[in-house]
Every structure is written in structure tokens, then in C-alpha cells.
Amino acid sequence: MIRKELIINGERKVIFTEDEALLSDVLRKQMFLTGTKVGCGKGECGACSIILNGRVVRSCITRMKRVPDEAKIITIEGVGDKDNLHPVQIAWMVHGAAQCGFCSPGFIVSAKALLDENIDPTREEVRDWFQKHRNVCRCTGYKPLVDAVMDAAKLMRGEIRKEELWYKLPEGAKMIGSDYIRPSALAKVTGTWDFGADLGLKLPENTLHAKIVQAKVSHGNILSIDISEAEKVKGVYRVLTYKDVKGSNRINGLAFPTNKGDGFDRPILCDKKVFQYGDAIAIVLAETPRIAEEAVEKVKVEIEELPAYMSAPEAMAEDALEIHPGTPNIYFENGAAKGKETGPIMEQASYVVEDDFYTQRQPHLPLEPDVGFAYVNDDGKLIIHSKSIALHFHALMVADGVGMKPEDVFIVQNNVGGTFGYKFSPTMEGLLGVATLATERPVYLEFDMHQQITYTGKRAPFWTTLKMGADKEGNIIAMESDWTCDHGPYSEFGDLLTMRGAQFAGAGYDIPNIRGKGRTVCTNHAWGSAFRGYGAPQIEFPSEVLIDELAEKVGMDPFDFRYKNIYREGSTTPTGCKPDVICLPEMFNKLRPKYEEAKKLVKEKNEKSNDKKYGVGIAVMIYGSGLDGADSSEAWAELTPEGVTVGNSWEDHGQGADIGTLTFAYEALRPINMKPEQIKLVMNDMTKTPNSGPAGGSRSNVLTGNATVVACRNLLDAMRKEDGTYRSYDEMVAEGLDLKYEGKWTAPCTDSSVETGQGNPFPCYMYGVLMSEVEVDLNTGKTKVEKLTLVADVGTIINKLVVDGQMYGGLAQGIGMALSEDFEDLKRHTTLTGCGIPQIKDIPDNIELIYTETPRPNGLYGSAGAGEMPLAAPHASIINAIYNACNVRITHLPARPEKILAGLQQLNNK
């Protein structure tokens, strides 16, 4: 034990701690300054940044023995509060720089230190500073963060006033399409937005701390589990295994009827077998996290190791064991059949190209590791708080497994530090339910970053062979596809994902004749979970790269070839239905002059450079808004003395569900002149909010936005008098009228056929045309993305700040998918850096966004979704640009330098 006197945020504090204690723990757990976040725990992400004696320090790797007495420490709480915001905090809100908000305190503290040192930095100096101090963001694509620092510097220099920056909604004006600041922004920039780990510090004293015993092999039979030594550790309450599970111990994977498995293949706690590295085998419950971690090491698990099939080709081999005995490793198959048989057409085609492709097991890499807690309330209901983005789905998926009726399980979403889709699947919800029901005490579980990366799902890899044929005029006349989805050991949503291969191969182009076949394969690598784009990045990558190959064979510029074949009136999608809108020709026309300019610039640079070559690439990016078929969402609106309260379960993982709900409600309630501050939001708590469906597939803006509008309009209908005016709250009460009204909206769609892929699965689509400009170093093979230009059409823009943020963030993740990100090696790919997360200097500051706004017929205000499209195929655009630069075609991602060097070597040997 040591005693320290520190000046924290200007106040002298006496602290008693241990030499080896981490500064982040002291600040958070002893001083309750929870604005400082802990993400990676290794000094890689900067979420824990504080200022120590004038220097930016990552507190998660700073031991207290290295903190001198009398040290001056500034945390986010000392930068500014809601009544006295620092210019950086103001600018952060104005530019929408706080999306999920988990990294925001660290960035803001870091930016304050920069501006204290240099009040007039250049944009490159800001980027250099964040790179140097390892401030990482997964949401924003970094550009809004630099924009915010530059405007904060102007505020500090007196060149602009807050009133010039701050968006204020004019009286009576529409909120749609504005830069209105999201309601959660203030709490996020001041560090008062409580995430799961922050709430964990506020739980009652009888809360148990859980840690899990994880498998260290990828496949094996469990012979024995010995918990006796772990139970002897002082402070351990219980150690649970599958024997303590009161239910079926299986997650309900909601399998398709044509799935050859039953969907109940994922155990909550492994009983007979281990199916992947990191599987949960036991739960240690103790009075403190440290005690639980100590006891985890004392659980002895004896395993008979089995062959581990770490890729789809291995699991599909004739001699491969069935990973789930009784269910074939190829457990789901689907087809694509549009128009005529393609074989004879391909034979007659003037130009034919075929290639093989692989998209990797991309890790989500949210900076906030998975975290949650659970308890049984006074009515005997199981309440689970987590990062779930599919509340009602997850209650159904875990209820039987933990031993409860579905109607007795309620999930509440904590404030979430990003998921990017991994929480479309339940992760720790089952573990928390089992532990809480076994002990009848509240239970808290927090993963570290290693567990986050090794336990949770990943983007499922696709192995694809694609073939296209064109006639002599350059019209695409046929496509043949074969794709294999490596979905890891667990089947949940694997069939749905594999269907995306039929829905988005060739998307954007009028291809009259299509034949294809896809399959889902069980392997022993990380289980597949939803990731932004959900299937589109896996299938549009081969599609968009092969388009370039076909254009080259035809002898056309890839831009012109695309323009010739994109959707126009009379076109049909790969699923055989009409496109919801025809907007691609206008989008190409907007991009054309910039493309011609980029080609000219690239040519000039290449003429002057020998060691580095430059290229430009194009990709069309398309995604649907909604789950397949007649997807529905629900909301409610209630008149109160203060205004209107709106309730829905529009789960928020940083994309802006709060501002989405507020905007839809505000627009619907404009007839009664309801001000934004009179609209209260109640969101994402199953004890209070209805089934709005999951926040995935860019469905929420359409489905839940529409449902929210319907609820508000139903309320207005009840308030409307015969003369067209509206009743007040008091008048409604006096007349005995209901004050609360529900709203439901169902997409007018049909499921895609499993056999043919034909149908009308989505109420609307999002469209993008992306141009990438790259530099390739011929000596190192390293690719640098210099500029991105995106023309996007997501229908009517609901909130400009949010849509811009989604574009920037999706494109940044596309750069990661193209060049660096992977989860393949279980020894190397287990940290943020090891997984290849892009830092600020990996993302260009030069990103141009251009919008067309074609109103969508099925959006009550004309909107589509936004979040998935920018990650549908940016990696294809970058790969096409690399080929344009140096004639190396990368078809298996990521395009690491060694792959490009190998390609260059092959060219030199020809």
C-alpha cells in the first residue's frame, strides 16, 4: 500500500493504492471518474487518455508507482462540464464526432493537450498528434474528429464564435436533413454517458463478478472439468459448469426450415465438446474480478483434441468429421436462378471472364469490450443488461437455454461503445442468465479485449467463384456464381447470410440471366456473426472486381462499362424485382468529371515516379434496408403534461438511434408545434418498449422510423377535433380519451426463394458509387489510400451529421478490410494492432461526399437506411485502384504488402 497526494482536475486528493495498480483503475474505481474509458487495456486505443503533468498519457498502462506525488492530472471531467464546455467539446458535438462516444473522452483530452501546446495546428499536425498518441476510433473515419479540432482552434483564437458553429433549429423549420445535434452528444463529450463498465461500478454490494474459463483448443471432446481447486480460492462464491444450467443450455439459432441442422448447436457452457478456441466451459463467480480471474486459472479441463477444420475447404473434405455429429458440415444450400439457363449463353458470349475470390474473417474491433449484468426483479423476471442490438430476438434465443419462458426474459440495452453488428448475435446474455439463475444474485461480466476478439463472432469468410459474359457491344448477358460461407461452428443466421450471395452478386447491373449456388459450412474457426454490410462485402467484392476484369477484356474503361450496364428503367435486380428507384445514372454523371480529373492526375504522377505508382478504381455499392420479406417494427407515442413521450426499441450502437427517433417524431408532431425539447425518448428497454426488431441490415431508419411516425400520427388522429385543431392534454383527460397510441409498420415485401433467390426482399435500397485513388510503393508493396470520392443516395437524408458519419466510418472499415484487417492466426490476431485496425494515418483526410436524394416510395419521409452501404464494396474499389496502379490483381483479401510484392515479382518474371 502506498499513499499519494495528487492534484486531480485542480483539486488536491489523497489516494491509497498499490504500487502496481493502474492509474485508470484508481481514477475509475476509487475516484469514480468514469469519463476515462478502458478499451484495449494495452495502450493501443487511447480511450483511457488523460493529461499527466502536461503530457498525454494512456492511463491503462501507467502504474501508480510511476505517478509522482503532487502530479497534476486532468481527466475529461476536468476539461469541461455541461455548463462550461471546452471549445473542443463544443466542436465535437457540432461535427457529430461522438458517434458511439466511447473514444470521445480520450480524443478530447488528447486534443486539449495539443491545443494547449499549439493553438494553430494544421490538419496534418492534428493527424500526426493523434497517431503519435495512439488515439483510435472505429466509428467515424477520423475526418470529423480533425474537423472538430480545427474549429475548436478557431474558437480558441477568437476567429469564430460558438453561435456561428452551433446548429439551432429555426422556429417551425423541418428537422429532416439538418445538422441537429444528437441528444446523447453532450453526455458523450463530457464523459457522463455511462457505458456498461461504468454501470458495473454502480451495482449493489451483493453483485457477483463473473469470469469465464475458455477453451484453449479449437476442437475437442471434453473428458472432465475439475473445479475443486477453484472453489477453494478465498472469495469465490461458486464455479458453474453445464451441470448447473437450468435450461437446455443451447442458444436458439432461429434456423431456416431448409437448414439441415436444428439451430440448437451453440452451447451456453460447453458440455460434450469444444467447437472453437475461446468457447466458454465454466463461469467463476467471486466477490471481486481479481479473485475470479485467479480462480479461472485453477479450473482444470481435460480435453481429447480433435482435428480442427479452420476453413471451409477443410471442413468440406470427404474425410472430415462432422463437427456437430448428426449434422453435415455443409448444412444449408441455396440457389440463384433468374432468366434463362446460362450455359448456352456463356458459350455464345463474345467476352467471358472467371475468377476465384476470398474475403477474410474480418474482426469487428469495437473499442468497448463486451460487458453486461443481470438480475431477477421482484416479479421473478430475468433482466439482462447488455450491448444487444436485437433485444427481442435475444430474449427468445436465450430463454429456453437458461431455463426461463420467453415472456419472462427482458433485455435492456446499455449505452453501447460500438458493435458494428457482432451483437446481432447473443454473446454473454446466456452466460449472465445462467449465472444469475444459479446463484439468485446479480451478476456482472466484463470481457477484456483478448476475450472480445477471441470469443465473439466475426464476419464470415466467403470463398467465391464468379463468371460473367458480355456480348460484342459490352452488355452483360449472363452471370454464374458459386459461393461458400464459412460460418464457423455455430449456425445462427448463417443461412440468412448465405442468401445474401444470391441477392447481391451482380447488384447494380441489369443482368438478365443468372445461375448460382451457395452453401453454408460449419468449421472450427470463429463463429460467423453479423458485420456491417452483412454479406454484401463478401459477394460484392468478387462482383465489382470481376466487372473490372470484364471491362478490360471488352476493351472499355471500367467507369464507362459500368455506366453502360447499371440499372435503368426496365432493369431488374438479381432477385428479379424492379429497383425501388433509378438513381445510378445520375450518380455516375456526378462522378464522371471527378473520375476524368483523377485519371489525368494519376497519369501525370506515374510519368514522374518510378518507385511509386498511382491508380484509380471504381466500385458500385448497394445494400437493402430491412430483413428479408415482410419485416415489421413497432413504436408508441404518449401525450404527457410536458409534451409527448416516444418509445421504441431502436437499438443504438453509435449510429444515432436517438436523433433518428427524435427527428421522425418531431416531423410527425409538427402539426401541434411540439418543440424538440418537449419530446422525451424512452428507448431499448423491453420492460417499457415494444418490439421494434433488431438494429441490423440498415432496417431501423425505414422500419422503426416509419413505425414511430405511425404512432405519432395515431396520437394526432386522437387529438384532432372536428374543426381540424388539436385537443390539449387537459382536454384529452377531460374527455376520457387514451393518451398512449401504438404504431406498427410492415414492409410490403416477399421473401427470396431459397431455391432461386427470386423475390422482393427489401422495401428499399441504398446506392453508392465510390472512386478510390491509391499510391503503391513498388519497393515495399505498401498501399496508401490517398483520396476517396463517394456519390451516395440513401433517399431523403434524415440527419446530415449522422449520415456523413456513417459514410466516413463505413469507408474507413472498408480500407481495413482491403488492406490490413483479419482474424486468422490465433496467436497473432488477438489484439487491436494484431488484427490490423486502421489508425488515423491509414485513413485519408481527403474524403469527399456527394449526395443525390431520391425519395424512397416506402419511406414515409422518403428515407432509406445508411450504415451498411459504405462498407458494401469500398475494398473492391481499392483493389481495382491497386491494379490500375501496378497491374497486380489481388483476389484474396487483405491485400497486405507481401501479396502485392509477390504479384509484382510474378510480373517481373514474365
Side-chain angles (χ1 to χ4, degrees):
M1 183 81 72
I2 58 173
R3 180 183 185 276
K4 296 270 185 180
E5 283 198 32
L6 305 173
I7 291 80
I8 301 178
N9 298 327
E11 295 185 17
R12 184 173 295 274
K13 301 288 184 180
V14 176
I15 294 168
F16 297 92
T17 185
E18 303 289 341
D19 261 5
E20 294 299 318
L22 295 169
L23 176 56
S24 58
D25 283 344
V26 169
L27 291 172
R28 288 178 52 78
K29 298 176 182 180
Q30 292 184 235
M31 306 305 296
F32 293 102
L33 295 170
T34 55
T36 300
K37 309 304 177 188
V38 175
C40 65
K42 292 181 177 294
E44 292 184 318
C45 74
C48 66
S49 296
I50 56 96
I51 299 172
L52 174 63
N53 288 336
R55 293 175 53 249
V56 178
V57 168
R58 282 159 276 162
S59 61
C60 79
I61 54 171
T62 302
R63 301 285 176 183
M64 288 304 296
K65 64 185 178 184
R66 300 194 178 279
V67 178
D69 268 325
E70 303 288 325
K72 295 180 179 178
I73 294 172
I74 299 174
T75 70
I76 186 66
E77 291 87 350
V79 173
D81 59 31
K82 64 183 179 63
D83 299 316
N84 187 27
L85 291 170
H86 189 280
V88 175
Q89 293 169 312
I90 293 169
W92 221 257
M93 296 171 69
V94 164
H95 285 282
Q99 288 190 26
C100 83
F102 192 79
C103 73
S104 295
F107 266 99
I108 290 169
V109 167
S110 184
K112 177 191 184 302
L114 165 63
L115 296 178
D116 286 346
E117 183 179 303
N118 178 7
I119 200 172
D120 192 11
T122 64
R123 294 186 70 89
E124 201 57 28
E125 285 172 336
V126 174
R127 285 162 55 82
D128 287 341
W129 181 272
F130 288 146
Q131 182 81 13
K132 172 185 174 183
H133 293 287
R134 299 189 71 87
N135 290 109
V136 174
C137 177
R138 190 63 166 158
C139 291
T140 64
Y142 295 107
K143 188 175 183 296
L145 313 187
V146 181
D147 293 340
V149 177
M150 298 304 289
D151 272 348
K154 290 179 182 178
L155 281 170
M156 294 173 71
R157 297 195 303 266
E159 295 173 10
I160 53 175
R161 296 179 298 113
K162 173 186 171 181
E163 292 73 21
E164 296 174 64
L165 273 185
W166 195 263
Y167 179 82
K168 185 172 176 59
L169 187 70
E171 189 76 27
K174 286 187 175 182
M175 190 182 289
I176 285 180
S178 74
D179 288 332
Y180 198 89
I181 295 167
R182 67 177 76 189
S184 58
L186 178 61
K188 288 172 179 175
V189 303
T190 54
T192 57
W193 187 250
D194 279 343
F195 294 93
D198 305 325
L199 295 175
L201 297 174
K202 301 173 183 179
L203 296 175
E205 289 184 3
N206 67 330
T207 300
L208 293 170
H209 292 269
K211 296 294 177 182
I212 57 173
V213 178
Q214 293 181 270
K216 298 294 191 290
V217 300
S218 296
H219 195 199
N221 291 320
I222 296 176
L223 303 180
S224 66
I225 307 171
D226 184 354
I227 62 174
S228 58
E229 291 301 313
E231 288 185 315
K232 293 177 184 176
V233 175
K234 186 177 180 181
V236 168
Y237 182 76
R238 280 188 70 179
V239 180
L240 307 177
T241 69
Y242 69 92
K243 297 176 183 178
D244 300 294
V245 180
K246 296 184 177 181
S248 67
N249 191 35
R250 289 296 183 273
I251 301 292
N252 181 349
L254 305 177
F256 280 21
T258 52
N259 194 309
K260 295 175 183 176
D262 60 9
F264 292 91
D265 46 39
R266 177 152 72 104
I268 297 172
L269 288 173
C270 292
D271 38 33
K272 297 177 181 178
K273 289 184 71 175
V274 162
F275 298 101
Q276 69 162 36
Y277 182 92
D279 266 346
I281 298 173
I283 307 172
V284 176
L285 297 158
E287 302 302 331
T288 70
R290 185 181 295 182
I291 293 171
E293 287 170 354
E294 179 187 343
V296 161
E297 300 303 317
K298 296 185 180 297
V299 175
K300 299 174 183 176
V301 184
E302 186 180 0
I303 294 176
E304 175 195 11
E305 199 163 352
L306 297 172
Y309 306 115
M310 302 300 278
S311 71
E314 292 176 36
M316 293 165 66
E318 288 187 9
D319 62 347
L321 300 173
E322 287 183 342
I323 293 172
H324 294 281
T327 300
N329 289 346
I330 303 173
Y331 60 85
F332 177 76
E333 295 175 283
N334 70 313
K338 174 187 174 184
K340 298 177 181 178
E341 288 292 339
T342 53
I345 297 171
M346 286 289 189
E347 291 178 5
Q348 297 171 10
S350 300
Y351 307 98
V352 176
V353 293
E354 183 175 8
D355 212 339
D356 297 319
F357 301 88
Y358 171 76
T359 54
Q360 75 275 40
R361 189 173 284 99
Q362 187 184 18
H364 299 72
L365 308 180
L367 298 191
E368 180 199 33
D370 213 18
V371 60
F373 54 93
Y375 60 94
V376 175
N377 71 6
D378 293 341
D379 297 323
K381 310 297 184 183
L382 176 63
I383 313 295
I384 302 172
H385 284 245
S386 74
K387 294 180 67 174
S388 171
I389 59 168
L391 303 183
H392 293 77
F393 266 26
H394 289 175
L396 175 63
M397 292 173 75
V398 306
D400 185 65
V402 303
M404 297 285 281
K405 296 177 181 178
E407 59 268 27
D408 291 334
V409 178
F410 294 84
I411 300 183
V412 180
Q413 188 192 44
N414 292 333
N415 295 331
V416 170
T419 86
F420 313 107
Y422 88 89
K423 283 300 299 185
F424 199 93
S425 292
T427 53
M428 59 172 54
E429 285 81 0
L431 298 170
L432 286 166
V434 164
T436 299
L437 294 175
T439 61
E440 298 182 346
R441 284 175 61 175
V443 173
Y444 173 79
L445 174 58
E446 179 183 357
F447 283 176
D448 60 26
M449 188 56 72
H450 182 270
Q451 290 174 310
Q452 169 68 36
I453 292 172
T454 57
Y455 180 83
T456 62
K458 304 290 174 283
R459 186 187 299 283
F462 270 36
W463 305 74
T464 305
T465 299
L466 202 60
K467 185 177 182 180
M468 289 184 184
D471 63 19
K472 61 182 180 181
E473 284 81 29
N475 299 299
I476 304 173
I477 55 176
M479 180 179 72
E480 294 176 353
S481 54
D482 185 279
W483 66 97
T484 298
C485 171
D486 175 348
H487 206 254
Y490 304 127
S491 65
E492 62 205 50
F493 309 123
D495 36 26
L496 181 66
L497 175 63
T498 307
M499 290 286 291
R500 296 292 186 260
Q503 293 164 340
F504 292 114
Y509 305 98
D510 188 18
I511 306 176
N513 307 294
I514 298 175
R515 290 294 183 274
K517 189 172 184 180
R519 63 202 59 80
T520 322
V521 178
C522 182
T523 70
N524 292 116
H525 217 318
W527 48 288
S529 63
F531 194 153
R532 190 183 207 158
Y534 196 61
Q538 292 99 313
I539 203 67
E540 290 186 30
F541 170 68
S543 182
E544 284 300 313
V545 173
L546 201 71
I547 287 284
D548 256 38
E549 295 186 42
L550 185 54
E552 184 176 40
K553 194 154 192 179
V554 171
M556 290 182 68
D557 182 280
F559 186 99
D560 295 332
F561 183 73
R562 284 178 169 83
Y563 186 74
K564 183 179 183 66
N565 286 282
I566 53 175
Y567 294 157
R568 290 182 172 83
E569 291 297 337
S571 298
T572 55
T573 71
T575 65
C577 64
K578 289 174 56 178
D580 58 333
V581 293
I582 301 298
C583 59
L584 282 170
E586 180 188 357
M587 296 167 68
F588 268 78
N589 290 335
K590 285 203 170 190
L591 186 60
R592 182 178 291 279
K594 295 182 180 295
Y595 176 68
E596 296 299 335
E597 182 183 341
K599 283 200 303 181
K600 181 181 177 182
L601 179 62
V602 159
K603 182 180 179 182
E604 292 173 354
K605 290 163 77 172
N606 282 334
E607 288 173 352
K608 299 176 182 177
S609 174
N610 292 321
D611 292 339
K612 295 178 180 179
K613 291 299 177 183
Y614 301 85
V616 57
I618 298 291
V620 170
M621 308 196 295
I622 291 181
Y623 202 71
S625 295
L627 304 181
D628 288 31
D631 186 9
S632 293
S633 184
E634 300 173 18
W636 53 256
E638 181 177 11
L639 188 64
T640 69
E642 295 79 24
V644 173
T645 300
V646 176
N648 64 35
S649 297
W650 184 340
E651 297 94 346
D652 198 338
H653 35 145
Q655 82 281 21
D658 57 346
I659 187 60
T661 299
L662 178 62
T663 304
F664 280 108
Y666 174 83
E667 289 297 326
L669 296 169
R670 284 179 67 208
I672 56 174
N673 299 315
M674 194 65 56
K675 296 178 181 178
E677 54 269 25
Q678 293 177 283
I679 301 173
K680 178 183 176 182
L681 306 183
V682 175
M683 301 179 69
N684 301 317
D685 179 343
M686 281 180 64
T687 66
K688 301 173 182 176
T689 56
N691 187 354
S692 303
S698 290
R699 64 179 291 282
S700 300
N701 204 55
V702 180
L703 275 294
T704 307
N706 282 351
T708 300
V709 170
V710 171
C712 291
R713 287 179 177 176
N714 287 342
L715 172 60
L716 290 183
D717 287 344
M719 295 173 65
R720 192 177 293 112
K721 300 177 182 179
E722 289 185 4
D723 63 1
T725 61
Y726 293 90
R727 296 175 177 88
S728 67
Y729 172 82
D730 290 337
E731 288 173 325
M732 293 283 284
V733 171
E735 295 182 39
L737 295 174
D738 290 338
L739 299 174
K740 187 175 182 179
Y741 293 85
E742 296 179 351
K744 183 174 182 178
W745 193 82
T746 300
C749 298
T750 58
D751 293 343
S752 295
S753 163
V754 171
E755 292 76 22
T756 68
Q758 300 302 281
N760 184 20
F762 306 110
C764 56
Y765 291 79
M766 303 158 276
Y767 300 86
V769 185
L770 177 68
M771 180 175 71
S772 300
E773 298 172 56
V774 305
E775 172 196 274
V776 179
D777 189 319
L778 302 183
N779 296 315
T780 65
K782 182 174 175 58
T783 298
K784 177 184 178 183
V785 180
E786 294 194 315
K787 183 179 181 181
L788 297 173
T789 306
L790 174 64
V791 181
D793 194 317
V794 296
T796 303
I797 292 174
I798 298 302
N799 180 274
K800 182 67 162 44
L801 283 179
V802 164
V803 173
D804 281 354
Q806 290 299 290
M807 299 303 115
Y808 292 133
L811 293 174
Q813 290 179 335
I815 292 173
M817 190 171 185
L819 302 178
S820 62
E821 293 180 30
D822 203 1
F823 180 71
E824 187 65 31
D825 189 319
L826 294 174
K827 293 182 179 178
R828 291 193 303 121
H829 298 157
T830 55
T831 64
L832 295 176
T833 302
C835 286
I837 192 169
Q839 297 183 50
I840 192 167
K841 296 302 286 285
D842 298 314
I843 307 300
D845 194 39
N846 195 354
I847 303 176
E848 183 177 3
L849 304 179
I850 303 166
Y851 294 104
T852 62
E853 291 186 67
T854 309
R856 300 301 193 264
N858 287 322
L860 296 186
Y861 290 121
S863 64
E868 319 280 320
M869 178 275 289
L871 189 46
H875 43 308
S877 174
I878 293 165
I879 295 303
N880 289 337
I882 291 172
Y883 179 79
N884 182 247
C886 64
N887 292 316
V888 173
R889 179 83 69 189
I890 302 296
T891 57
H892 287 216
L893 295 177
R896 290 201 177 97
E898 57 267 26
K899 290 184 183 179
I900 294 174
L901 284 177
L904 290 169
Q905 186 63 45
Q906 286 182 340
L907 291 175
N908 292 333
N909 292 338
K910 286 185 178 179

